[in-house]
Amino acid sequence: MKNLIIAAAGIALASTTVTLGTSAQAAEGPFSGLKKAAKKVENAAKDVERADRAVKEAKRTKGRSVLRGAASAATGGYVGTTAGSNYPRTASRGDYLGRPGAAPAKYASMTQCANTGLGNAFVAVARDYTFSKGLSTETRSGLIEREPVSPSNGCVLPGMGSGEVVYLEVDTAKYNKYDYALQCISFDGSEQLDNTNAPRTNNYSGQHVMLHTGHSLGYTPTASGRNSDRGAAYDKHLESRGRSMITFNMPELHTDKGGTDFYCQHYNEKTGQSLVAFTYRRGPVGRP
């Protein structure tokens, strides 16, 4: 990466001839040529960084990001990017550290799953999407790039990485959210996450799940109207099925550049049982 940036900088400098003797440059000031050269170097470095990120994303998604970009160019739409998003990423990019493996046996064996009818779970990211209304195209925010997941051993979901969101449903009659609290401990047992640093619970609502009618992502059901209208419509959808939704979003920013794996459980102290458990890899940046 560093060599690419240096090479780009050299090309930009080589292509910029600084001749301070002309009248036009004299009018701009003795350092105008140097400023322009520096600007070209900066732009070249940014181009190299963008290309590097695109290659890493294409590798991580097995080419899906390239297809999304082609679809966006073909339709003039906004497909799966974060530009202008309500969910900004860190300005200092790094390598996405991925997801952890299976939970250590010593923690998994301690988890007793509550019988809450857990199901309809998926892992997603919170990003912008577009939908069409006649000739116009509008943008909203929601949970997209959904990956359905199934619990093992009754309530243990697969691992998640920084910046990802897990959605799940339980039977309303069997669930009292005030009885549960999230506990997270590192795989080696050296660190426990407090309420400030643990994944956030229920940061998202029905409006983020029930996307606006007219979108092309294939998620159903949909609804029209304002965010509050879609949220109310999804609440009714859940209520009609006797279900309640729960979300956990993995923190995205941290100085932990090497990555640390945690085992988390949504735990009921009264019963000693967990509604759900999952592993989580904390890293310096979120999913691209």
Side-chain angles (χ1 to χ4, degrees):
M1 177 66 186
K2 182 183 296 183
N3 292 335
L4 288 173
I5 294 175
I6 292 174
I11 293 171
L13 285 172
S15 63
T16 304
T17 304
V18 183
T19 54
L20 302 180
T22 65
S23 59
Q25 287 172 327
E28 293 178 355
F31 298 106
S32 61
L34 291 174
K35 290 180 180 178
K36 291 178 180 178
K39 186 63 176 179
K40 287 188 176 181
V41 172
E42 180 183 352
N43 291 338
K46 288 180 179 179
D47 289 341
V48 172
E49 289 181 358
R50 282 193 290 269
D52 181 62
R53 288 199 299 270
V55 170
K56 289 179 179 176
E57 172 66 352
K59 182 178 180 181
R60 185 189 71 79
T61 63
K62 298 180 180 180
R64 290 193 300 273
S65 64
V66 177
L67 294 176
R68 288 198 301 266
S72 179
T75 62
Y78 182 92
V79 183
T81 68
T82 55
S85 171
N86 292 331
Y87 305 95
R89 297 297 182 247
T90 172
S92 179
R93 302 297 304 186
D95 290 333
Y96 174 59
L97 297 180
R99 297 168 174 172
K106 62 180 179 180
Y107 296 138
S109 63
M110 295 170 58
T111 300
Q112 301 179 37
C113 295
N115 179 23
T116 60
L118 188 155
N120 197 29
F122 61 79
V123 177
V125 288
R127 292 188 179 165
D128 289 348
Y129 67 95
T130 60
F131 63 93
S132 299
K133 293 175 64 176
L135 296 177
S136 67
T137 299
E138 297 186 23
T139 301
R140 296 290 187 276
S141 300
L143 297 179
I144 66 173
E145 298 184 26
R146 301 177 186 180
E147 175 188 340
V149 293
S150 298
S152 60
N153 301 324
C155 67
V156 182
L157 295 178
M160 280 155 274
S162 295
E164 294 185 320
V165 180
V166 61
Y167 167 96
L168 56 92
E169 294 177 8
V170 294
D171 292 336
T172 302
K174 298 179 179 179
Y175 174 59
N176 183 349
K177 65 180 180 180
Y178 300 108
D179 290 341
Y180 291 88
L182 192 63
Q183 301 176 330
C184 295
I185 186 169
S186 60
F187 277 16
D188 63 7
S190 64
E191 185 176 358
Q192 296 185 48
L193 298 181
D194 56 22
N195 292 335
T196 301
N197 297 300
R200 296 287 187 267
T201 304
N202 292 328
N203 268 15
Y204 300 98
S205 62
Q207 71 186 51
H208 301 103
V209 186
M210 181 173 274
L211 305 188
H212 202 289
T213 300
H215 75 82
S216 60
L217 300 177
Y219 306 132
T220 58
T222 65
S224 301
R226 298 172 298 180
N227 289 341
S228 58
D229 296 329
R230 297 198 322 279
Y234 197 71
D235 289 343
K236 291 181 180 179
H237 171 70
L238 289 170
E239 184 179 356
S240 69
R241 297 161 50 231
R243 305 285 279 174
S244 294
M245 63 171 279
I246 308 171
T247 64
F248 302 95
N249 58 294
M250 310 302 118
E252 185 172 345
L253 305 183
H254 200 274
T255 58
D256 183 2
K257 297 186 182 303
T260 299
D261 292 344
F262 290 87
Y263 181 74
C264 302
Q265 63 176 7
H266 204 41
Y267 182 70
N268 186 334
E269 290 187 356
K270 295 180 180 179
T271 64
Q273 296 179 324
S274 299
L275 182 149
V276 66
F278 55 85
T279 56
Y280 150 59
R281 176 165 292 174
R282 183 178 66 189
V285 296
R287 190 164 115 179

